[in-house]
Amino acid sequence: MEFGDVQETGEKNFPKQDETPIQYGTAGFRTKGSRLNHVIYRMGVLAAIRSATKSGATIGVMITASHNPEEDNGVKLVDPMGEMLGPEWEKYATEVANVPGSKLDVTLQELTKNLGVTSLQSSRVVFARDTRPSSPVLAAALEAGIKAAGAQCQNFGLLTTPQLHYIVRCINTNGQYGKPTEEGYFEKLSEAFVKLRNIRKAKKMKTLEVYNTCLYLDAANGVGAGKIPILQSKLGDLLKISLVNDGSGKLNHECGADFVKVQQKPPTGVNMVPGQRWASFDGDADRIVYYFMGVTDNRFYLLDGDKIATLVAGYLKDLVQETGLSLNLGLVQTAYANGSSTRYITDQLKVPVACVPTGVKHLHHKAQEFDIGVYFEANGHGTAIVSNSSYNLLQKTSQNTSISDHQSEACDLLLSVIDLINQTVGDAISDMLLVEMILAAQDWDVEQWNKAYTDLPNRQLKVKVKDRSVIQTTDAERKASSPVGLQSAIDESVAKYTHGRSFVRPSGTEDIVRVYAEADTQSAADKLANEVAVLVYKMAGGIGEKPKLH
Ligand code: 16G
Ligand code: MG
């Protein structure tokens, strides 16, 4: 097919800025915002092609670099059901982003020929952006790309990443999943939340002390911050949110879910009082972690993705049981899941656990194997998904007059819980409401929630190497298959520590190798992490300063 003036406009207005190759990684392209003009223009064209291969279904494009520093930016494509771009297309995205400007036309022609695409007239692309200073300019580049390709486009302005995923799914299900607007998103979530909270009130169960206190929320100065007042206006007194890092400060700077999780401390500058319930979003609000300061010991406690996963899985398991239906529920984690959480899920909750490589696409994919699949990365990205057949069965059963009231109520309750969940992708706002609802349902405060199990102390380190691809992994990243000898050396180190566990993997987002270690004490975990970092440095071509043993 012909690409009109796509190449000409690209060369003129969005020329390639440098020759350093850029790759569509685990979460799209991510680098300095100033390098992305041409990449994002071209992704507009690619999204139009993707739409054509999906019979004109709407494709989403989100401009954000999540938890990265403010000067970075990025772009990711959203597939028709609100999932992340099919992994088989990552190579096309990489190719289109990297070809010289003068070869854009021929590259696109070849690609469309191979894909059997002959027209982009009925392609549809919707897009949104986060609050980074570079985002408006990049959004204009994207729009130019979509229009140059001849596709229809709609700009949703400032949205969180999960809101855009939601909207894409609503559009492509003709509104079955909800109304395809930000208003529709808040309506769906808040209606489900209010309903679930009122069911409890009607039953006159215990007073919910936890609800008389407010939730303190660090919004990382990101796009999620601006959404909280909208949510608050819909929830009234059912949940009081006190916002910090509300967008007036620097994005992700010493705040946000990533900072809190990695540093294992509160955002800088906040005044935490023991017993208060705190949560942090990341910059595009697709991750959330909770935390608090112990009332008796003044210590900082983190309730990360693993703790959220166990809370959600435990609650859903009980509810499924009450429905009397035999729906199989499973939980998906990555190697970063704390060993204690995996043990708790297996031994106490008795829910099957699967482990997959890092990256939402792997977790989401695996979770689809269950009737109800809960997935969370330890970093706070996660959600639950329900198969269509299970959803239909629940709907049918809730209206079945020959079952007990208790059973049909449980079905109804579960359907509302499902409405509260953004099934397309991890969503900080939806996860927050889910956690708040479950805490209320259990009459738990954060300390009680935290008591379910005790995290093993752990440590993450980064090692710089010449070429991180020399590290290859297997067994869901839990074992290194290359370089030869590295895994047996890691095994030897691990064997010296009680409850020791460690693995290494090349980062998908930074030019480094990540080391994870856990053990029975913090100093043992630190020491093990250091030992393994030294092994990586020695055996995988470390550069720069050598990691030092504690
Ligand atoms: C990306 C992934 C996240 C993963 C992280 C790992 C998505 C949407 N995001 O942010 O799931 O935990 O990369 O980063 O897939 P790393 O490879 O640098 O450790
Ligand atoms: Mg994010």
Side-chain angles (χ1 to χ4, degrees):
M1 63 164 286
E2 295 300 314
F3 276 90
D5 56 3
V6 165
Q7 178 170 308
E8 201 185 315
T9 308
E11 291 248 69
K12 197 165 127 223
N13 300 334
F14 310 100
K16 227 179 138 185
Q17 269 124 338
D18 60 60
E19 290 311 313
T20 317
I22 181 165
Q23 209 179 353
Y24 196 98
T26 28
F29 294 107
R30 222 181 262 186
T31 182
K32 296 277 164 278
S34 55
R35 279 191 67 201
L36 281 168
N37 253 321
H38 71 284
V39 175
I40 290 188
Y41 170 75
R42 293 172 183 197
M43 284 310 105
V45 182
L46 190 77
I49 299 173
R50 179 69 172 163
S51 170
T53 64
K54 298 280 179 189
S55 316
T58 296
I59 296 294
V61 185
M62 181 71 200
I63 296 173
T64 180
S66 184
H67 58 275
N68 283 37
E70 194 168 85
E71 59 277 15
D72 286 5
N73 217 323
V75 61
K76 38 191 177 187
L77 270 60
V78 181
D79 262 354
M81 279 302 111
E83 340 76 301
M84 304 183 63
L85 177 69
E88 71 285 4
W89 267 61
E90 291 176 7
K91 58 176 186 292
Y92 303 145
T94 301
E95 190 191 359
V96 169
N98 286 293
V99 290
S102 58
K103 296 231 171 85
L104 186 57
D105 205 49
V106 50
T107 305
L108 292 171
Q109 280 187 26
E110 207 176 320
L111 180 62
T112 42
K113 190 170 157 221
N114 291 340
L115 294 167
V117 171
T118 51
S119 162
L120 301 178
Q121 294 308 307
S122 47
S123 289
R124 286 180 51 115
V125 182
V126 297
F127 64 97
R129 62 174 205 275
D130 73 7
T131 51
R132 286 161 200 273
S134 59
S135 289
V137 167
L138 293 175
L142 178 67
E143 186 163 359
I146 301 166
K147 287 191 169 153
Q152 301 166 46
C153 80
Q154 192 176 355
N155 180 356
F156 278 89
L158 288 171
L159 288 183
T160 70
T161 295
Q163 284 182 318
L164 183 70
H165 284 252
Y166 160 89
I167 285 173
V168 169
R169 180 147 167 174
C170 292
I171 294 173
N172 290 314
T173 55
N174 293 322
Q176 244 180 9
Y177 193 65
K179 283 191 212 133
T181 57
E182 180 173 47
E183 177 62 23
Y185 167 90
F186 280 117
E187 236 172 63
K188 181 173 175 182
L189 294 192
S190 58
E191 272 171 22
F193 186 78
V194 170
K195 181 171 168 197
L196 286 160
R197 293 282 290 102
N198 285 340
I199 288 173
R200 275 196 62 90
K201 270 194 180 160
K203 285 188 170 176
K204 291 206 175 65
M205 292 170 120
K206 282 186 266 171
T207 32
L208 302 166
E209 294 231 349
V210 61
Y211 271 86
N212 296 330
T213 65
C214 85
L215 168 69
Y216 293 84
L217 178 66
D218 150 35
N221 290 313
V223 67
K227 306 303 178 193
I228 296 304
I230 309 176
L231 179 70
Q232 185 70 81
S233 72
K234 309 232 175 250
L235 300 181
D237 284 343
L238 280 180
L239 175 64
K240 284 185 227 135
I241 303 170
S242 174
L243 196 59
V244 301
N245 296 318
D246 59 356
S248 52
K250 192 168 177 181
L251 175 70
N252 296 328
H253 182 66
E254 299 195 348
C255 62
D258 196 63
F259 176 86
V260 173
K261 166 71 182 161
V262 175
Q263 304 289 328
Q264 305 194 19
K265 63 181 187 194
T268 303
V270 303
N271 180 22
M272 264 179 88
V273 173
Q276 285 176 343
R277 189 167 83 259
W278 280 76
S280 284
F281 287 1
D282 75 337
D284 63 338
D286 65 354
R287 279 164 60 173
I288 182 169
V289 293
Y290 271 76
Y291 45 95
F292 66 95
M293 202 86 90
V295 174
T296 49
D297 59 7
N298 261 12
R299 270 186 55 199
F300 174 79
Y301 290 91
L302 179 69
L303 296 147
D304 63 2
D306 299 340
K307 286 267 170 158
I308 300 174
T310 51
L311 183 77
V312 172
Y315 176 81
L316 288 178
K317 191 192 168 200
D318 289 349
L319 199 48
V320 166
Q321 230 153 29
E322 286 178 43
T323 65
L325 299 172
S326 60
L327 300 176
N328 89 2
L329 172 80
L331 199 138
V332 186
Q333 302 185 309
T334 72
Y336 287 107
N338 196 277
S340 294
S341 74
T342 314
R343 238 189 315 275
Y344 173 77
I345 297 156
T346 313
D347 300 347
Q348 307 284 315
L349 296 182
K350 302 204 186 308
V351 167
V353 192
C355 184
V356 297
T358 303
V360 174
K361 62 189 172 202
H362 300 296
L363 289 118
H364 193 92
H365 186 71
K366 187 73 188 175
Q368 285 171 331
E369 289 177 15
F370 300 97
D371 293 329
I372 301 180
V374 179
Y375 69 82
F376 266 90
E377 290 191 304
N379 65 22
H381 186 115
T383 187
I385 58 179
V386 182
S387 70
N388 281 341
S389 57
S390 311
Y391 189 79
N392 293 340
L393 179 66
L394 277 168
Q395 275 192 320
K396 239 182 28 217
T397 315
S398 75
Q399 281 145 27
N400 182 345
T401 46
S402 63
I403 58 167
S404 73
D405 283 357
H406 183 76
Q407 256 177 289
S408 71
E409 264 173 38
C411 288
D412 201 37
L413 199 62
L414 187 48
L415 285 166
S416 293
V417 175
I418 294 167
D419 276 346
L420 190 56
I421 295 171
N422 184 344
Q423 293 188 56
T424 62
V425 78
D427 181 337
I429 293 177
S430 151
D431 288 342
M432 172 182 83
L433 294 177
L434 185 62
V435 167
E436 294 295 319
M437 186 278 295
I438 297 174
L439 290 180
Q442 315 277 40
D443 268 329
W444 277 1
D445 61 19
V446 270
E447 301 227 17
Q448 284 161 299
W449 170 19
N450 188 47
K451 275 188 196 134
Y453 65 86
T454 307
D455 273 325
L456 281 171
N458 56 86
R459 178 64 64 203
Q460 287 194 47
L461 293 176
K462 302 176 182 187
V463 185
K464 280 208 160 93
V465 295
K466 220 182 304 161
D467 172 12
R468 71 192 197 278
S469 69
V470 299
I471 304 249
Q472 279 166 27
T473 62
T474 174
D475 189 20
E477 302 180 323
R478 290 174 289 192
K479 297 259 179 283
S481 49
S482 139
V484 177
L486 177 60
Q487 187 56 45
S488 52
I490 295 175
D491 290 343
E492 254 176 56
S493 287
V494 166
K496 292 186 283 185
Y497 296 88
T498 310
H499 294 309
R501 187 171 73 90
S502 179
F503 66 91
V504 302
R505 54 176 281 279
S507 160
T509 61
E510 285 180 67
D511 193 11
I512 46 140
V513 174
R514 293 198 195 281
V515 173
Y516 176 90
E518 64 186 31
D520 61 340
T521 64
Q522 189 61 55
S523 70
D526 290 351
K527 209 156 165 254
L528 177 56
N530 267 299
E531 267 185 47
V532 173
V534 171
L535 291 173
V536 170
Y537 188 91
K538 278 194 194 148
M539 302 175 76
I543 50 173
E545 203 185 331
K546 193 172 163 184
K548 287 190 203 84
L549 276 181
H550 272 187

